[in-house]
Amino acid sequence: MLDTGRPHRRLNPLTGEWVQVSPHRTQRPWQGASGSTRPEQPPHYDPNCYLCPGNERAGGARNPNYTGTYVFTNDFSALLPDTKPGEEDEQGLLVAENERGICKVICFSPRHDLTIPLMQREEIVAVLETWADQYRELGELEFIRHVQIFENRGQMMGASNPHPHCQIWANETVPVLPAKKQQHQHAYHRQHGRPLLLDYLALELGRRERIVYENEHFVVLVPYWAVWPFETMILPREHRPRLTDLRARELSALAEAMRVLTIKYDNLFETAFPYSMGIHQAPTDGKEHAEWQLQLIYLPPLLRSATVPKFMVGYELMAMPQRDITAEIAAERLRVQAEEHYLLTDEGIDG
Ligand code: H2U
């Protein structure tokens, strides 16, 4: 039986990578910053925001007076759809491949201040439907084999603007991390005949140590192998390789899981909890991908308070990821948070 209070390392079966866990270190003294900083609520509309309806963007284009979600091609796209030749030297040491792709930005709503935890469930469903449409449309393009949807929330995660939005980078090859997950899920499926993440979820539901929230169709948990202090994963209970496989009531349940999780995050340190969220789903290469299971990954940097993040430095950069607070304790701390947003319970904001 694992002594979770002693140093140990855990395997991520989705990537084959390990994380060092050092729970005894949570006892060490801390003289850095602490305490909550309640951020000021942004206005509904900001005339200087390049994502608000009717405003001009940095690239010169003007946003329409949109009323729901709004999708546009990134004015500073990291990937471009045209082709140029790559190169490879004789020893195979200088290797470059052409990489085609398309980058988009999606505003969640016209409201400059309406973050996911403050949205109604139906409003989040609209975001999910837009993501599913984009995954389908981009994935149908002959040269697109992977569609990465992700959200950077908060300055700490590099978000360039507080107006709630996310990005999509769709490209020709399956990127490094999803490719690792592809490989490991495929190997597991070949050996056991079942998706890895369905078997994993069954284990978690049996043990109940890392569950944060669950509803009829989705479960939120801190993965056994989590690296970031409050990292979580949202998983469907049934086998669903892609967003486009979800039925209407499952989309609604996923929206509710996202809503509750992000409220708990905000409540933890009474702040707009920063994170990078990403959706991993089957590649769009025309294959069935029975091994794949849809997964929403939340990677938040905060550790002790609204201002004290976990730094991925030193040993993490040079050797392997390491964490102090165990996945079980992180899950417990999130589980006990209220499901009503702190801004709506005490101060009251104009919804
Ligand atoms: P981030 O906040 O996650 O950086 O996403 C914002 C994206 O919006 C970013 O990739 C794009 C940036 O290139 N952008 C535009 O396409 N048009 C603009 O007018 C400003 C920002």
Side-chain angles (χ1 to χ4, degrees), residues 50-51 56-61 63 72-78 103-105 150-154 157-163 165-167 169:
Y50 56 71
L51 297 179
E56 191 176 311
R57 297 207 299 270
N63 298 323
F72 63 93
T73 299
N74 197 314
D75 298 309
F76 308 96
S77 293
C103 296
K104 297 207 175 182
V105 179
F150 64 96
E151 176 192 2
N152 293 319
R153 184 185 188 210
M157 293 312 284
S160 56
N161 184 319
H163 191 122
H165 66 281
C166 71
Q167 297 193 48
W169 293 22

Side-chain angles (χ1 to χ4, degrees), residues 2 72 92 112 139 178 222 277 289-290 303 308 315 329 332 346:
L2 175 72
F72 63 93
H112 186 73
V222 177
M277 185 283 295
H289 289 299
L303 174 63
V308 182
Y315 191 77
I329 290 172
E332 171 68 19
D346 49 18

Side-chain angles (χ1 to χ4, degrees), residues 54-197:
N55 291 1
E56 191 176 311
R57 297 207 299 270
R62 189 169 288 281
N63 298 323
N65 279 313
Y66 64 94
T67 53
T69 58
Y70 172 53
V71 186
F72 63 93
T73 299
N74 197 314
D75 298 309
F76 308 96
S77 293
L79 297 158
L80 298 168
D82 55 352
T83 323
K84 291 279 180 300
E87 66 169 12
E88 179 166 354
D89 74 317
E90 275 172 21
Q91 295 103 307
L93 295 176
L94 305 174
V95 182
E97 289 176 355
N98 171 65
E99 181 72 22
R100 289 182 293 172
I102 295 173
C103 296
K104 297 207 175 182
V105 179
I106 304 178
C107 300
F108 295 160
S109 89
R111 284 270 300 271
H112 186 73
D113 59 331
L114 202 58
T115 58
I116 296 274
L118 296 173
M119 280 179 151
Q120 305 292 320
R121 185 203 295 216
E122 299 68 38
E123 292 169 319
I124 304 175
V125 169
V127 173
L128 286 170
E129 284 170 346
T130 305
W131 288 347
D133 289 347
Q134 287 295 317
Y135 172 84
R136 188 184 299 108
E137 273 173 38
L138 289 163
E140 276 171 4
L141 296 174
E142 159 278 326
F143 68 99
I144 295 296
R145 299 200 181 79
H146 187 264
V147 178
Q148 182 61 60
I149 300 169
F150 64 96
E151 176 192 2
N152 293 319
R153 184 185 188 210
Q155 268 178 353
M156 208 181 263
M157 293 312 284
S160 56
N161 184 319
H163 191 122
H165 66 281
C166 71
Q167 297 193 48
I168 299 182
W169 293 22
N171 50 314
E172 195 165 7
T173 59
V174 182
V176 176
L177 185 52
K180 273 189 198 164
K181 291 189 170 184
Q182 159 73 31
Q183 189 195 336
H184 284 83
Q185 289 179 108
H186 187 255
Y188 186 94
H189 193 264
R190 215 176 31 216
Q191 200 183 344
H192 302 273
R194 283 173 58 83
L196 186 160
L197 282 173

